[in-house]
Amino acid sequence: MSRVAFGALLAALAAVSANAMSAGIDTDGDGKASLEELQAVYSGVTSELFAEIDADADGFVDDEEMADAVAAGVLEDPVTEL
Ligand SMILES: [Ca+2]
Ligand SMILES: [Ca+2]
C-alpha cells in the first residue's frame, strides 16, 4: 500500500471513529454508547446485535467498536443516518 493511500485510510478511519460519539449517540457523555443510547439512534439494535458490536464485551460500544461496526456494514454511519 502506498504511503498516500495509507494516510487516506487512516484519515477515513479517524473520521468514522470521531463521528461515532459526536453524532448524538453518547447522550450521557461518558465517551461510549450503552445499549439504550445505541437503540435511541438505531431502533433495530437488539441486545444480541449489541453484544456482537461490543467486541471486548465490557457492556459498552466505544469509538473503535462503533467504527468497526460501521465499516463491517452492521450499522449505518451515524452521520449519514442523522
Ligand atoms: Ca454513554
Ligand atoms: Ca466494548
Side-chain angles (χ1 to χ4, degrees), residues 6 11 15 27 36 41 46 48 62 81:
F6 187 63
T27 49
E36 289 74 19
V41 175
T46 61
E48 286 79 14
D62 59 26
E81 180 84 356

Side-chain angles (χ1 to χ4, degrees), residues 8 18 24 49 55 67 70:
L49 182 61
V70 171

Side-chain angles (χ1 to χ4, degrees), residues 8-31:
L9 177 66
L10 283 182
L13 287 173
V16 170
S17 64
N19 290 339
M21 289 307 143
S22 60
I25 296 173
D26 179 25
T27 49
D28 65 3
D30 65 356

Side-chain angles (χ1 to χ4, degrees), residues 26-45:
D26 179 25
T27 49
D28 65 3
D30 65 356
K32 49 203 179 179
S34 65
L35 175 60
E36 289 74 19
E37 287 173 339
L38 212 59
Q39 282 176 331
V41 175
Y42 300 103
S43 54
V45 174

